[in-house]
Every structure is written in C-alpha cells, then in structure tokens.
Amino acid sequence: MANVQLGELSLKQDSGVQDCVYSPDGKTVAVGVSNGKVCVYSTSDWETLWTWEGHRGGVRRIVYSPDGNRIASSSWERAVRIWNILTGVCLHVLNGFDYWVYEIAYSLQGGQLASVCAAKKVKLWDVESGECRHILIGHTDIVYGVVYSPKGDQIASYSSDYTVRLWSTETKESLHVLRGHVDFIQSVAYSSQGVRFASASSDKTVRLWDTSTGECRHILSGHTEVVCSVTFSPNGNEVASASCDRSVRLWDASTGMCLHVLQGHTENVQRVVYSPQGNLVASSSNDKTVCLWNTATGICIQTLTGHSGTISSIVFTPNGDVIASGSEDKTVRLWDVRAGAPPRPISSRHSGFVNQVKCSSKGDLVATCSNDKTVRLWDVQTGVCRQTLRGHTGTVNCVEYSTQEDQVATGSGDRTIRLWNVGSGACTRILAGHSSRVRDVARSPQGNQLASASDDKTVKLWDVASGECLRTMTDHAGFVNGVMYSPDGNQIITYSWYERVRIWDVETGDCTYTLPGHGSFNNFVYSPRDNHVAATNDDGMVRVWDVGTGECGDIFIGHNGRAWSIAYSPNGGQIASGGEDGSVRIWDTTARTCIRTLSGHSDEVKRIVYSSQGDLIVSASNDGSVRVWDVESGQCRAVIQDFQDGINDVVWIESFGVNYLVAGCFDGVVGMWQVLMDREHCDVSLRWKTTNGELDMKDATIQDVQGLSQLNRKLLKQRGAVGDPAHRLLGAGKKVTTMSSVVSKLKTSSGRAVENSSFTSSTLAKELEQEIEQKFRQAKGSLVQD
C-alpha cells in the first residue's frame, strides 16, 4: 500500500450533486442531488442515515436549523421541504412560490425560514406551522439571494435590480438600500459581528458596507472578471473573493487593501470559504480542483484533484479537519486537510522511462516525454495531466516549447518530429526526413526555426511555419546526441558520441569550428553572460570553449570517471558538473578553480540545475535521490528520496513567486516539490506525484485488521476490500450499537411508511414523528459508539 493516501472518501450519488453541507455539530452531512433526493450521512461511520425523496426537481439548496435537528431543502419544483433529521419525517411542504426557489435561510433562533424565488419578493415562513407569515416587498427585479445577520436582527436580500436591501427582522421594514453596483450581484456575506456587509458583483468589484448606516466604506477593485463569491474570515478582519479571472483575492476589511492575490486555478473560480480557524481558505474552480491556501502567506499548500465534473459546493467541517466537495460528477469527496496530512498521489503516470522534463517559461505547465511513446503536459499547481499527446509510434526522446508556449515540438524513435498545440493537444504538423531516430530538438530564439539531431548522423533545420526542411548538415561520423542554438540564434552546436563538438553557421549551414575532446561528449551548455560553451566528457573533464574563435580556454579536471551533467549559474560566474563518481563540483569561471566538491550521492549524477537566484544547486542521481545544496557553504540542505528508481531529469520552476522542483524518473514517475528556504532552514515538501493509478483493493482482505478508522475502513471497502477490521474492545456485556442501526430499527418497528409525504400535514404524521423521536432519544441514551 505504498503511495496510498487514506482519508479521501467518495460518497457516490446516482445524479449530480447540487449542494453539500455539514450540520452545526459536524455529526452529519446532507447532500442535495439533481434527481430530487436529499441524502444524509453520519460522519462517524459514513453510513447513510436517510435518503429523502419527494422533490420533483433538482435540490438546489440545503440548510440546517441552528440546533441541527431539522433540514430545509429547496428545488426547481417551486417548493421547500422541511425534514426532521431524527425521524426522517417531512414536516412541511412550503408551497405558494411563483417560480423555482433560489435560496433559503434559517433565522438565528431557527423559528423562521426566509426564501426567495424568481420573483421580486422575500417570503418569511413560520417553521412550526409551515405558514407564510410575512412578504418583504421593495425590490424592482428578481431576488436571487437572502441571508440573516449573525445577530439575527437583519435580513439581507439581493436582486437583479443591482441592489441589496437590509430589512429589520422585528418590524419587517426596509432599513437600507445599498446602491452602487452597476451589474448583477453574485454573492453577499455578513461579517461575524454583523457590523460589515460584503457584496460581490459582475461589475468586477466587491463593496464593503456599514450595516448600521448603509454607507459603502470601500470598493475593492482588482479583479478583471466577474466576482462569483465573497466571504468574511471568522474574525471579520479579512474578506476573500473568487473570480472568473481565475484568481482569489484576500482583502483587509478595515482598509480595503488587497493582501494577497492567489493564483493557480486554470479556469473560473466559483467559490471560496474560510476554515473555522481562519488560517486557510479553500477555493473551487471549473478546472475541477479545490485549492487550499495559507491566508498568512498566500501560498497554495495543497491542490485536491479527483473530481471529473464541475464542483458545485465546498465546505469545511466545524473543526476544520476535513473539506467536503460536491460535484456534477455524482460524488461528494471528503479530503483530510489537517497539518501534516500526506500529499495526494496523482494517477496517469508514464508507463516507461521519463526521458526529458521541460517547463514553460511562465511556470504553469511541465512537459514530460517518455519511452511509452507519449508526451504529457502537467499543471504545475495541481499535478493534473492537462494533455496526453499521442501519435508517435516510437519512444519520445525530447520535447521543446515554442517561444509563445502555445506549441511543443517532440522528437521520436519513429524518425519524425511532431508539432503539437498545447491548448487542444492536437498534432498540427509532422516533420519527416530523418532515416533513423531523432535524439534531440531545439527551437531558435526567434521561434521560426527548429533544429533536430538524429542517429542518421545528420542535423536538420526546419521552417516551423511551413514544415519545410531548410538544410541538412552531414559532417558528423556518428550518432548526433544533442543540438542547441546560440543565444543570438546565429549558430547551432551539435555533439556526437566518440566525436567532436561542431559549431555551425545557421545561415549557410557551414561547419565553422570543430571542438576536440577525448571520448564521447555527454552534455553541453551556453554561458549566459559571454560567448562561451562548456561541455562534459567521458574522460571526466569539463571543457570551456570560445565559440567565436573555437579555442579551448579552460579544462577543469577533478571527476573520477565520466562527467555527465553540467550547468552554468544564472550570472555565468560558476559552472556545476556532476559525475559518474556521484560528486557535484562547482568551478569558478574567473579564478578557474574548483571551489566546492559536493559529496553525498552513491551513484552517477544525471542532472544538475541552479535555482533562479543561483544560491542553490539541485542534483538528481541514479541512486534514486535528489539533493539540494547551498552554493555558498556547500552544505546539503535537503534530500528527497521518494523514488523507487533513478532520476533522469530535474527542472527548477518559479511559479507565482514560489519555487518548485519537478523530477522525472526511469520508472515513469513525475513528482513536484515546493522549496521554501531562509538562512536557517530549507523546507522541501512534496506537492504531487504520479502513481500507477487509483488505489485498487479488489478482493484484498482487511479481516481483523486493527487500527483502521471508520473513514479508512469505508474507503478500503469502497475500493474492493473484503472482511471486517477488528473493533476496539469494549467492556464486558456492553452492546455495540450504531446510530444508523438505531434509525433502521425504529423505522422497521414503527410499521408505518414515514417516507410518504402525503402524511406530513395530517395528525397521523405528527403522532408518528413524536413516537419515533421518543424511541430514538431513548435508544440514543444507551448508545455506545464504536
């Protein structure tokens, strides 16, 4: 069960989930389904307590009464139903709506229910009698939403007339009309003290209002698209807003200043909620993910993937340990978000060697190519595989982004180069002409040309727009392993096994210089600051040439065995090389000496990369580890050993101001780690990693296994496990009874069809409710939970 994260449970429905909400005490969860059902689950064992049928349309909204004993549900059928959660009886069906019901809300004491439908009024219902007691009239267009203030003294309603109205719960009169928005209002919220009120609009703004005066205190501007959701932090000091511009913004409620812009979602962000402690916010998006953010730093600390449909609702448990998300994919997913919870494995890994890892310059996508004949494009923030590029009939050896990053080029053992559209995943062009496998491709800095290196001993230059082969260079006597453009695009450098490095003039196709060495060249790199190139060689040496003259200026000697990998520091003042001896050596290009030898790997170092600031070096080895080194001290600051095989490539990414490492392995695994560092500490934490797929426990036995929580038992059973785990030992003579079994027995012993909603307005239904509730309370008093 390696790489398995328990604690993620899917409650499967038979139709799309419209709403999901926890009870005030967190002991039950209610789910509204688009087929008209309401399902209630016990959170102790995740067994179904009730499945209520009666709505003739999708259940749009569910709310618990403040004491948690009743649930109100609204649907597209122009009715609201009130249910007793202890007995399962439908107490009332509230009719009299002109159109479908948009929103419902319980009053603070729970004796009143407010509702709005596609009309210009708000209706207030007496919960005990089921009668409509008041109608609030004042809006000039459809009312979409309603909410009670935390103190219970106000009701707020918002309408497509672009206004919010604050009503007195005592007099039922309009206290204030909040005007200022110039487009539809999408969401509203009271602060926890009730002194502030927030409204989010399609006009791309959030407005903060004083509830006592009705004055607009702040206009929060910054979003570039519709603001879909707004909420206050539990202490009322912050506001979070979610927008179709794919971002979440955190604001200071007192000053109106933007504290953080949370970026990472790839589609519209529809909802945002604070954790009960206020240290986290969760956001859900049309990209089918939930992101968890640290409110102090604005950093995304976890991305929850697994839904295959739009997410309709997200909610924290009252203690903040779990997030429940409901989706149109017919599931509710429960996520363990406690501090220290393990990162979530991602399915769909490569089934062969990962040959190369490349990151887009914007830092939002990573491309990997593999011996499994595919290329995969991964979302950096979520680990979701955005595209799988299929079409090559041989191993894919290399991948390269276009200058605009709307295209990738790939070279394959099938002797072709393919150009792919990043957005659609479609192959837009096939470049054929090589007579053997393509080992490497490079894009010119201008983006109009592509160079390819092949085992047919040639290098070809291609026009990207037309796909035409411009010229073929044929001077190599062996397989051409690599190709690279000079920073100005006027030259290309190629290297071959058991042969020399060659420098070519792009315009003429002539070989201008041949750079000698001993044995095979394994890697080379251009200097970022001058006209030099450095290369590693089988003889263990690092050579530096002037590409203007073809002269070898420096030879660095130190590795025992072959020198494999090489990298220049961002300022060009250093060269780092990795060798067969497992060491990393740092060379000063001015002093021409080795200033550090970094030891720790037990096998050859395949890849080296500098951090964007040049203060860290990352090395990846065949020993199955990645090491992070401090350049100044030579100290190893972190070791990543989450691999079962050697690492073939590693890249450093800076995305939205946060540093990450992405590594690709010989066993097909791709993983990403977040790097947080200061003078004292270096914290490297796994964000996501690919696995073989979803946990499969089919026919695996968990009979008498001890220590499994109810949640994990449910998860393993859901994934196909058989048997029953051992229960915690109880005192002699004590009977183990679950809440769901009590409910089941009560329903059976009553001998009456409590599900029949036709009884709800009759004396018989009232008597039945009282009888079952009395039996339930008696049973609950002797309940022993397992």
Side-chain angles (χ1 to χ4, degrees):
M1 290 173 61
N3 295 328
V4 170
Q5 178 177 340
L6 300 183
E8 177 209 332
L9 181 66
S10 177
L11 305 177
K12 297 182 179 179
Q13 311 298 319
D14 49 12
S15 193
V17 175
Q18 299 291 307
D19 198 15
C20 176
V21 62
Y22 274 91
S23 62
D25 60 8
K27 293 182 178 179
T28 62
V29 167
V31 178
V33 190
S34 59
N35 62 4
K37 292 181 181 180
V38 177
C39 300
V40 183
Y41 298 89
S42 166
T43 58
S44 64
D45 56 10
W46 297 104
E47 296 293 336
T48 304
L49 292 179
W50 304 106
T51 299
W52 296 325
E53 300 183 22
H55 285 292
R56 292 191 296 275
V59 179
R60 176 182 173 82
R61 189 68 67 235
I62 293 175
V63 291
Y64 276 87
S65 61
D67 61 10
N69 291 333
R70 297 183 181 185
I71 288 175
S73 56
S74 65
S75 77
W76 299 106
E77 64 166 327
R78 306 183 186 183
V80 174
R81 292 173 180 263
I82 300 177
W83 312 83
N84 187 310
I85 193 172
L86 299 177
T87 66
V89 171
C90 180
L91 303 176
H92 301 290
V93 180
L94 311 182
N95 293 306
F97 295 98
D98 301 323
Y99 304 98
W100 51 85
V101 181
Y102 278 127
E103 193 71 73
I104 50 178
Y106 264 104
S107 64
L108 183 64
Q109 292 76 27
Q112 193 177 77
L113 190 76
S115 64
V116 296
C117 66
K120 304 174 186 178
K121 52 195 174 185
V122 179
K123 289 192 173 187
L124 304 182
W125 305 81
D126 181 82
V127 171
E128 290 302 322
S129 66
E131 296 178 358
C132 179
R133 293 294 175 85
H134 301 281
I135 299 177
L136 308 181
I137 299 176
H139 285 292
T140 59
D141 210 331
I142 293 172
V143 183
Y144 286 109
V146 63
V147 62
Y148 279 87
S149 66
K151 295 179 181 179
D153 58 337
Q154 288 184 355
I155 298 172
S157 58
Y158 61 96
S159 164
S160 55
D161 62 11
Y162 306 165
T163 71
V164 176
R165 286 182 176 258
L166 304 184
W167 311 82
S168 169
T169 56
E170 183 178 355
T171 66
K172 311 302 184 293
E173 294 181 353
S174 178
L175 300 173
H176 305 289
V177 181
L178 312 184
R179 292 186 172 92
H181 285 298
V182 295
D183 208 334
F184 292 108
I185 297 170
Q186 298 289 337
S187 176
V188 298
Y190 275 98
S191 66
S192 54
Q193 299 81 10
V195 296
R196 296 190 180 105
F197 185 83
S199 56
S201 170
S202 296
D203 64 13
K204 307 175 188 178
T205 70
V206 174
R207 288 178 176 254
L208 301 185
W209 312 82
D210 186 306
T211 57
S212 61
T213 64
E215 293 181 6
C216 181
R217 295 298 189 188
H218 300 289
I219 300 175
L220 311 183
S221 300
H223 284 297
T224 58
E225 293 293 342
V226 172
V227 185
C228 304
S229 178
V230 66
T231 186
F232 278 93
S233 62
N235 61 14
N237 295 333
E238 287 183 6
V239 174
S241 57
S243 170
C244 289
D245 64 9
R246 306 179 184 181
S247 77
V248 174
R249 287 177 178 256
L250 304 185
W251 313 82
D252 186 297
S254 299
T255 65
M257 291 182 58
C258 183
L259 303 174
H260 298 290
V261 180
L262 314 181
Q263 294 178 309
H265 285 295
T266 59
E267 292 189 32
N268 301 350
V269 185
Q270 296 290 345
R271 287 165 185 81
V272 61
V273 293
Y274 273 91
S275 66
Q277 295 78 18
N279 61 325
L280 302 172
V281 292
S283 57
S284 64
S285 166
N286 287 354
D287 64 12
K288 305 171 188 175
T289 70
V290 175
C291 284
L292 195 65
W293 311 85
N294 183 301
T295 57
T297 63
I299 292 174
C300 180
I301 60 175
Q302 207 169 356
T303 302
L304 311 176
T305 61
H307 281 299
S308 59
T310 300
I311 299 172
S312 56
S313 61
I314 52 171
V315 61
F316 277 93
T317 54
N319 65 7
D321 287 349
V322 174
I323 291 175
S325 57
S327 168
E328 292 179 1
D329 64 8
K330 306 181 183 180
T331 68
V332 175
R333 288 182 178 264
L334 306 170
W335 314 90
D336 185 348
V337 295
R338 291 170 295 176
R344 188 172 177 275
I346 306 296
S347 59
S348 303
R349 77 171 186 179
H350 285 291
S351 59
F353 286 8
V354 176
N355 290 317
Q356 205 169 66
V357 180
K358 288 288 179 71
C359 180
S360 64
S361 62
K362 292 185 291 187
D364 58 338
L365 283 179
V366 168
T368 58
C369 59
S370 169
N371 282 4
D372 65 6
K373 306 176 186 178
T374 71
V375 177
R376 295 178 187 265
L377 305 181
W378 310 89
D379 186 289
V380 167
Q381 293 294 324
T382 67
V384 171
C385 181
R386 293 297 179 193
Q387 300 288 352
T388 300
L389 312 181
R390 293 184 172 91
H392 282 297
T393 58
T395 62
V396 186
N397 301 312
C398 50
V399 60
E400 184 78 8
Y401 275 95
S402 64
T403 308
Q404 294 77 23
E405 300 187 341
D406 58 345
Q407 191 182 74
V408 291
T410 57
S412 169
D414 64 10
R415 305 182 235 180
T416 69
I417 299 103
R418 286 179 178 250
L419 305 183
W420 310 82
N421 182 285
V422 169
S424 67
C427 178
T428 58
R429 195 175 296 280
I430 300 175
L431 310 181
H434 284 292
S435 59
S436 189
R437 69 174 171 177
V438 179
R439 286 185 176 266
D440 198 14
V441 293
R443 182 89 54 164
S444 67
Q446 296 78 16
N448 60 332
Q449 279 186 7
L450 199 69
S452 57
S454 171
D455 279 4
D456 65 8
K457 308 175 187 178
T458 70
V459 177
K460 290 181 179 288
L461 299 186
W462 308 84
D463 183 277
V464 172
S466 66
E468 179 187 355
C469 180
L470 301 175
R471 57 185 53 85
T472 302
M473 289 87 146
T474 59
D475 285 359
H476 278 292
F479 299 159
V480 187
N481 291 334
V483 60
M484 179 182 291
Y485 275 89
S486 62
D488 60 11
N490 294 328
Q491 295 176 327
I492 60 170
I493 293 184
T494 58
Y495 67 101
S496 173
W497 274 346
Y498 304 107
E499 211 197 350
R500 302 183 175 192
V501 173
R502 295 177 185 270
I503 302 177
W504 309 80
D505 184 284
V506 170
E507 185 66 29
T508 64
D510 295 332
C511 179
T512 55
Y513 297 107
T514 301
L515 313 180
H518 296 281
S520 294
F521 286 97
N522 296 312
N523 212 331
F524 64 95
V525 62
Y526 262 99
S527 167
R529 72 176 184 184
D530 53 32
N531 208 26
H532 287 83
V533 65
T536 53
N537 197 274
D538 272 358
D539 60 12
M541 299 181 186
V542 176
R543 290 174 170 81
V544 181
W545 287 278
D546 186 318
V547 295
T549 64
E551 294 180 0
C552 182
D554 295 299
I555 299 178
F556 298 135
I557 302 173
H559 286 292
N560 296 317
R562 288 179 290 185
W564 276 108
S565 49
I566 192 167
Y568 267 100
S569 63
N571 64 8
Q574 293 175 355
I575 294 173
S577 59
E580 188 179 33
D581 57 8
S583 73
V584 175
R585 292 177 179 265
I586 304 176
W587 313 88
D588 188 300
T589 58
T590 301
R592 300 179 177 181
T593 58
C594 179
I595 58 175
R596 295 275 185 277
T597 300
L598 313 179
S599 300
H601 287 296
S602 59
D603 206 337
E604 60 191 29
V605 179
K606 295 291 291 184
R607 287 292 184 272
I608 290 177
V609 61
Y610 273 89
S611 65
S612 54
Q613 301 300 317
D615 55 341
L616 299 176
I617 287 176
V618 180
S619 57
S621 169
N622 274 1
D623 65 8
S625 74
V626 173
R627 290 177 177 261
V628 181
W629 310 86
D630 185 283
V631 170
E632 185 177 349
S633 67
Q635 211 176 5
C636 182
R637 302 298 298 272
V639 182
I640 304 170
Q641 294 178 307
D642 297 338
F643 307 96
Q644 305 298 317
D645 209 336
I647 298 100
N648 201 29
D649 203 3
V650 65
V651 296
W652 180 278
I653 301 172
E654 186 171 338
S655 179
F656 303 112
V658 183
N659 295 316
Y660 303 100
L661 297 175
V662 179
C665 310
F666 289 119
D667 60 4
V669 168
V670 178
M672 189 183 83
W673 291 258
Q674 181 174 323
V675 183
L676 297 174
M677 184 170 176
D678 55 31
R679 290 183 177 273
E680 300 295 329
H681 304 95
C682 181
D683 181 28
V684 179
S685 57
L686 179 64
R687 288 294 305 278
W688 53 264
K689 188 168 71 169
T690 61
T691 68
N692 284 321
E694 188 180 67
L695 171 63
D696 183 6
M697 295 292 292
K698 183 174 175 56
D699 297 329
T701 181
I702 56 172
Q703 184 69 36
D704 298 327
V705 173
Q706 297 190 19
L708 278 180
S709 68
Q710 291 284 5
L711 180 64
N712 290 339
R713 179 183 67 84
K714 183 80 172 178
L715 172 62
L716 294 173
K717 286 272 195 176
Q718 191 179 85
R719 301 291 172 86
V722 296
D724 291 305
H727 288 286
R728 176 172 56 87
L729 293 178
L730 299 172
K734 287 195 174 182
K735 186 178 180 181
V736 178
T737 309
T738 64
M739 184 180 292
S740 55
S741 66
V742 170
V743 172
S744 176
K745 288 178 182 179
L746 290 176
K747 287 192 288 186
T748 304
S749 65
S750 69
R752 302 173 186 176
V754 300
E755 293 86 357
N756 191 334
S757 61
S758 64
F759 287 98
T760 59
S761 60
S762 66
T763 304
L764 178 60
K766 285 291 185 182
E767 292 174 354
L768 178 59
E769 177 196 351
Q770 293 170 4
E771 178 186 342
I772 295 180
E773 186 167 348
Q774 183 179 9
K775 289 182 180 180
F776 184 89
R777 292 189 186 281
Q778 290 172 353
K780 189 176 180 182
S782 60
L783 180 67
V784 179
Q785 292 188 351
D786 57 346

